[in-house]
Amino acid sequence: MKATGIVRRIDDLGRVVIPKEIRRTMRIREGDPLEIFTDKDGELIFKKYSPIGELSDFAAQICDSLRKSTDGIAAVCDRDAVIAIAGGAKKELLDKPVSPQLTEIMDARSTYRHANGGSSLPVSPADEKFCLSVAAPVISEGDVMGCVLFITPRNSAPATEVEYKLAQTVAIFLGKQMES
């Protein structure tokens, strides 16, 4: 654990303010859930909670099934990072942060499909080899939890209608799983 040198007091309602600099670097937005951990030394640890991250094993199985049925690269991400991937690009993208463009797609709450001749959008700012082919937001109880992705190497053919529909179907399914 790394000390920041920032000290905050608890107010009369038991609240503590997380400084803006930390929220920005950790990509914590208003309304984001945080898990609280304690240890025997009296330390409190706040960890950003990812509801879709709880389904990471399940998401990995779904990605594997999508890869087998389409022969493409399939992935699932939460609001911050790629949490499951199958079909390649695992080293380049797994656990990497999502790009600002992918965050915008999730915020728009509509399925994205790369068109022929259009500019390709990156999956992660840390990678230049792969781009989004399809991105279908996972919505649960009105909140965007993440996205189902089909990914292609740059300058590859765009996604087919089958991949587009599969991504939408899996995104709806994951949203329903998270509600129950």
Side-chain angles (χ1 to χ4, degrees):
M1 189 163 42
K2 183 170 78 171
T4 63
I6 301 170
V7 176
R8 292 288 190 258
R9 295 198 184 280
I10 296 175
D11 71 8
D12 56 340
L13 295 176
R15 298 175 297 195
V16 65
V17 174
I18 299 171
K20 187 176 186 177
E21 312 82 61
I22 292 174
R23 291 192 321 263
R24 188 179 318 122
T25 57
M26 301 304 292
R27 298 182 67 161
I28 298 171
R29 293 174 287 277
E30 183 180 329
D32 281 352
L34 298 175
E35 266 186 298
I36 303 169
F37 297 90
T38 61
D39 71 4
K40 61 183 176 240
D41 298 328
E43 291 180 326
L44 291 174
I45 299 168
F46 288 86
K47 182 180 178 195
K48 195 168 176 186
Y49 177 71
S50 169
I52 203 166
E54 297 290 315
L55 299 174
S56 62
D57 291 340
F58 186 60
Q61 292 172 358
I62 286 176
C63 289
D64 194 48
S65 296
L66 289 172
R67 183 200 59 78
K68 287 177 183 172
S69 62
T70 63
D71 216 20
I73 302 170
V76 174
C77 68
D78 63 12
R79 300 274 300 159
D80 298 307
V82 176
I83 63 165
I85 192 165
K90 206 173 224 175
K91 183 179 83 176
E92 293 88 350
L93 297 172
L94 188 63
D95 296 325
K96 298 293 191 283
V98 298
S99 68
Q101 295 91 330
L102 181 50
T103 300
E104 287 176 21
I105 290 168
M106 286 188 264
D107 290 341
R109 297 170 174 257
S110 59
T111 303
Y112 164 83
R113 183 175 179 185
H114 179 254
N116 261 338
S119 62
S120 56
L121 301 179
V123 178
S124 173
D127 177 72
E128 293 294 321
K129 289 194 266 183
F130 296 94
C131 64
L132 293 170
S133 188
V134 174
V138 176
I139 300 172
S140 177
E141 297 179 354
D143 295 324
V144 177
M145 299 295 171
C147 222
V148 176
L149 312 171
F150 277 100
I151 300 165
T152 58
R154 285 215 181 272
N155 303 319
S156 294
T160 66
E161 186 69 19
V162 170
E163 292 166 327
Y164 181 78
K165 292 292 186 187
L166 277 172
Q168 287 180 317
T169 302
V170 171
I172 292 167
F173 178 76
L174 284 174
K176 297 280 186 205
Q177 284 296 115
M178 294 175 67
E179 288 174 3
S180 57

